[in-house]
Amino acid sequence: MSTGVVRPPLGRFAAQHLVARNYLVYRRDWVVFVTGFLEPLLYLLSIGLGIQQLVGDFVLADGSRVTYTEFVAPAMLAASAMNGSLFDATFGVFFKLKYEKVYDAVLATPLRPVDVAVGELVWSLLRAAVYAAAFVAFMAILGLTGSWWALLGPVAAVVIGYAFAGAGMALTTWMRSWQDFDFITLAVLPMFLFSATFFPLNRYPDGVQWLVQLTPLYHGVVLCRGLTTGALGVDLLVAVAYLVAMGSIGLAVSSRRLGTLLLR
Amino acid sequence: MGARPLGQTADRPDVADPPLDVLVHARGLRKSYGQLEAVRGIDVTVRRGEAFGFLGPNGAGKSSTMRMIAAVSTASDGSLRVLGMDPATDGPAIRARLGVCPQDDTLDSELTVRENLLVYGRFFGLSRAEVARRADELLAFVQLGDRAGARVEQLSGGLKRRLTVARSLINEPELLMLDEPTTGLDPQARHLLWDRLFRLKQQGTTLLLTTHYMDEAEQLCDRLVVIDEGVIVAEGSPAQLIRDHSSREVCELRFGVDDHDGVAARLAHLGERVEVLPDRLLVYAADGESVAQAVHDLGLTPRSTLVRRSTLEDVFLRLTGRSLAD
Ligand SMILES: Nc1ncnc2c1ncn2[C@@H]1O[C@H](COP(=O)(O)OP(=O)(O)OP(=O)(O)O)[C@@H](O)[C@H]1O
Ligand SMILES: [Mg+2]
């Protein structure tokens, strides 16, 4: 017997329905959503009000002069994109995978593991983008944006989120318990402090600079800082390539691993 | 096994596709988890419109088989066609036309009862309006209309089961797969579910279910296979299985003594067969009443005597030497 051509029942945007499912859940949990805005904003205010007076201005690579707050703000933007997207892609996915068994039900429908991975990733990115948009708006209000390129801040946040959410989700598929997530915290905290976030790369010891340049958040910071200060360079393209590659590998690994775990 | 599909080349599954009215066609199907062989070469043919059952004890391989058919688990060996397609390559297209009620409820506990149906229906590509219409219909169908806004966590086990059944129907499946649909339900809830499943069958839905309740199998299944340790040990309609593998009647005897084996030896000639269970003796015979009389005539005084018709339980005991219940 032949049934003729078998068309995929949903087409390639099947993942959107998982995004819609997450939205439905989070609509009720808007408090969690709102707290995501606050953390980077508080950092920014504390730096702007206090530390800036102690530190003085900075001269960027292209010779332009910026205040310390203008220097740190884009790094906060990058860091919040990292944190915001990681949360859903790691804890969120683990919870649904191991406890809620959401994906067992999802995979009984026409959706495939890759749709699950894409859906969760897109959801993480939507969150990161919304946070970033709000953050950039605050920066503009506080006069911290030196360029119209800053409007691309949310796009940068999405690229950064893509890298971290993809990699985070891939790692999550190997997690056995909540304790294992300490490894992620262990990786994230030093990155947050030492990715040229609070002081420029040339202040690091020579032997450490190359190490800093290997970390993904460093590239995220480069990207955001270039856009909000308007000091554009080739390093932004390198950063985008790095982050996109990281996210794509993470996504591919995630969807394979979800298939192995769920379709036993 | 007994029933071959319409005299087809069933022994060479790769040669010919099964006919159109065959929804599930498995030959030599196997499933291993590492060293453990859960399903060890089974042949199954499920035709459109019938209610087909897998009857077997814990660990028999029922769920493993169901998951392979539902295209959520890859077969280790053998051939499998579901709705004329290969689950290994056409999983999404197959799943689009199946309704699945897994053994463990996989309801979304972060959503309400009604949202569970809405979200699930959207996974099948149904429009919002269509999903909303079906959700309300289905909630009424399983009598959950008044709980539409409740969180899933607040539902009892039986209500969750009913919601899972409703959810499995959201895409109006051609083949409805139910893995132990009534385990854990009270008698009233079981009968409600049976009634609903019966109605679906009347409407032409093909049912494929697993159970370890013989009454359920007898109530719902046109045909069933008895499965034990990953292999099929018998196949047929409930009545046919009972006819083939058991006597018409059974005389159940409970003695107060521990020496059931000794008593069994004295009764052996009274029936076709005697089974010794931990708490009772079963004498299989065409006429149970005359067995009871004969026991009495032997001077034996059982504490209780019960004459009943043979059931699938007896078939199972006969075929596997074990009771279904344990
Ligand atoms: N994912 C798995 N990984 C490893 N072993 C498994 C897995 N699923 C099932 N098994 C094993 O395979 C065997 C058959 O299990 P299965 O769930 O198919 O039985 P079942 O007939 O559905 O039993 P029950 O009536 O208890 O539901 C069991 O020994 C079980 O432990
Ligand atoms: Mg089972």
Side-chain angles (χ1 to χ4, degrees):
Chain A
M1 174 193 70
S2 162
T3 49
V5 183
V6 181
R7 254 179 284 115
L10 284 176
R12 65 177 68 179
F13 296 115
Q16 71 182 11
H17 302 299
L18 190 60
V19 177
R21 179 259 171 215
N22 288 348
Y23 173 69
L24 205 55
V25 172
Y26 275 75
R27 221 172 36 175
R28 276 194 282 273
D29 270 343
W30 58 271
V31 178
V32 179
F33 203 83
V34 168
T35 52
F37 288 106
L38 285 178
E39 194 184 299
L41 196 65
L42 292 177
Y43 270 109
L44 191 63
L45 291 177
S46 100
I47 289 164
L49 290 176
I51 301 172
Q52 178 169 313
Q53 275 74 10
L54 305 174
V55 184
D57 288 356
F58 270 69
V59 180
L60 295 178
D62 70 344
S64 55
R65 209 172 217 338
V66 295
T67 64
Y68 184 58
T69 318
E70 285 174 286
F71 176 79
V72 174
M76 293 300 111
L77 176 61
S80 81
M82 170 179 79
N83 287 323
S85 64
L86 264 183
F87 188 80
D88 281 321
T90 57
F91 289 101
V93 167
F94 188 72
F95 183 63
K96 290 180 217 167
L97 184 65
K98 293 277 155 81
Y99 294 93
E100 287 257 286
K101 307 271 179 204
V102 171
Y103 307 135
D104 288 271
V106 171
L107 291 184
T109 74
L111 269 68
R112 302 155 298 164
V114 63
D115 300 316
V116 171
V118 170
E120 291 297 353
L121 199 67
V122 167
W123 169 247
S124 303
L125 299 190
L126 283 180
R127 249 179 99 155
V130 170
Y131 288 161
F135 190 81
V136 170
F138 275 117
M139 281 178 67
I141 291 167
L142 298 174
L144 296 172
T145 46
S147 155
W148 283 104
W149 287 103
L151 286 176
L152 285 181
V155 178
V158 166
V159 174
I160 296 165
Y162 180 62
F164 282 98
M169 189 171 14
L171 291 177
T172 298
T173 62
W174 275 283
M175 303 278 176
R176 292 149 303 170
S177 67
W178 294 111
Q179 274 79 27
D180 289 348
F181 285 93
D182 290 344
F183 289 111
I184 290 191
T185 316
L186 210 63
V188 163
L189 188 63
M191 248 195 291
F192 174 64
L193 294 173
F194 301 113
S195 294
T197 23
F198 295 102
F199 46 97
L201 184 65
N202 58 26
R203 294 297 173 87
Y204 290 83
D206 284 340
V208 181
Q209 287 190 12
W210 65 269
L211 189 65
V212 171
Q213 285 177 284
L214 284 183
T215 67
L217 186 57
Y218 169 78
H219 292 278
V221 171
V222 166
L223 185 57
C224 291
R225 193 168 281 152
L227 292 174
T228 61
T229 60
L232 306 179
V234 198
D235 50 349
L236 267 68
L237 293 178
V238 174
V240 169
Y242 178 111
L243 295 168
V244 169
M246 174 169 158
S248 301
I249 294 169
L251 179 60
V253 171
S254 302
S255 83
R256 276 198 75 111
R257 283 282 303 161
L258 286 173
T260 330
L261 288 177
L262 293 164
L263 303 179
R264 275 163 300 148
Chain B
M1 287 284 85
R4 286 297 187 202
L6 312 177
Q8 274 252 333
T9 51
D11 294 324
R12 293 172 297 150
D14 37 345
V15 175
D17 278 325
L20 264 171
D21 75 328
V22 171
L23 298 193
V24 180
H25 185 270
R27 291 296 176 268
L29 192 61
R30 287 172 183 273
K31 180 73 195 182
S32 308
Y33 302 102
Q35 291 296 304
L36 181 95
E37 251 202 314
V39 179
R40 300 184 293 152
I42 65 171
D43 297 357
V44 178
T45 306
V46 180
R47 292 195 190 80
R48 191 177 296 279
E50 74 177 337
F52 190 94
F54 289 107
L55 183 67
N58 291 141
K62 304 184 294 294
S63 298
S64 301
T65 307
M66 292 286 268
R67 286 173 44 82
M68 286 188 277
I69 296 172
V72 292
S73 165
T74 44
S76 306
D77 197 13
S79 83
L80 179 61
R81 306 287 288 179
V82 181
L83 302 168
M85 292 175 277
D86 181 355
T89 52
D90 301 322
I94 292 173
R95 296 196 296 266
R97 292 158 61 189
L98 295 185
V100 177
C101 185
Q103 183 167 355
D104 303 312
D105 291 316
T106 54
L107 295 167
D108 197 326
S109 59
E110 293 187 283
L111 300 175
T112 66
V113 167
R114 189 160 180 275
E115 283 170 351
N116 257 279
L117 300 182
L118 300 180
V119 166
Y120 200 76
R122 296 284 286 155
F123 290 151
F124 288 90
L126 300 171
S127 74
R128 266 176 233 285
E130 181 64 16
V131 162
R133 188 184 64 74
R134 291 190 194 179
D136 295 330
E137 259 176 38
L138 287 170
L139 286 177
F141 183 64
V142 297
Q143 297 184 0
L144 274 174
D146 53 335
R147 306 299 295 272
R151 290 289 283 264
V152 165
E153 297 147 15
Q154 299 162 356
L155 298 185
S156 73
L159 296 183
K160 281 186 186 153
R161 208 67 191 138
R162 267 145 69 177
L163 179 56
T164 304
V165 171
R167 191 185 65 174
S168 70
L169 293 169
I170 196 87
N171 60 328
E172 297 180 343
E174 286 166 61
L175 174 62
L176 180 59
M177 306 191 46
L178 306 135
D179 197 346
E180 300 193 17
T182 65
T183 298
L185 298 193
D186 66 25
Q188 201 194 343
R190 284 181 88 195
H191 283 282
L192 175 83
L193 205 53
W194 285 352
D195 172 68
R196 294 300 182 266
L197 295 177
F198 196 74
R199 285 199 216 175
L200 287 169
K201 198 183 140 195
Q202 299 298 94
Q203 293 161 16
T205 307
T206 309
L207 301 181
L208 179 52
L209 58 108
T210 79
T211 179
H212 34 207
Y213 300 123
M214 64 209 169
D215 52 344
E216 184 157 287
E218 278 174 48
Q219 286 266 343
L220 290 177
C221 299
D222 303 317
R223 258 176 357 111
L224 53 91
V225 289
V226 180
I227 175 166
D228 186 33
E229 294 180 351
V231 293
I232 290 173
V233 292
E235 173 170 3
S237 70
Q240 192 186 339
L241 282 170
I242 293 168
R243 218 178 313 122
D244 292 354
H245 300 283
S246 192
S247 57
R248 206 169 65 90
E249 289 188 338
V250 188
C251 180
E252 291 198 13
L253 304 162
R254 286 170 203 267
F255 290 92
V257 296
D258 292 331
D259 183 27
H260 271 147
D261 286 315
V263 178
R266 292 180 61 192
L267 299 180
H269 66 285
L270 294 182
E272 299 163 18
R273 197 161 59 86
V274 178
E275 288 281 354
V276 182
L277 296 185
D279 59 335
R280 63 213 142 110
L281 290 177
L282 306 180
V283 183
Y284 291 92
D287 183 356
E289 282 300 338
S290 58
V291 172
Q293 185 59 46
V295 169
H296 189 77
D297 293 345
L298 280 173
L300 294 169
T301 49
R303 266 220 234 130
S304 73
T305 308
L306 171 74
V307 174
R308 57 169 178 82
R309 301 186 76 91
S310 275
T311 67
L312 286 174
E313 176 83 52
D314 302 298
V315 173
F316 192 81
L317 193 60
R318 172 69 193 274
L319 292 171
T320 69
R322 281 182 298 123
S323 175
L324 256 178
D326 54 47

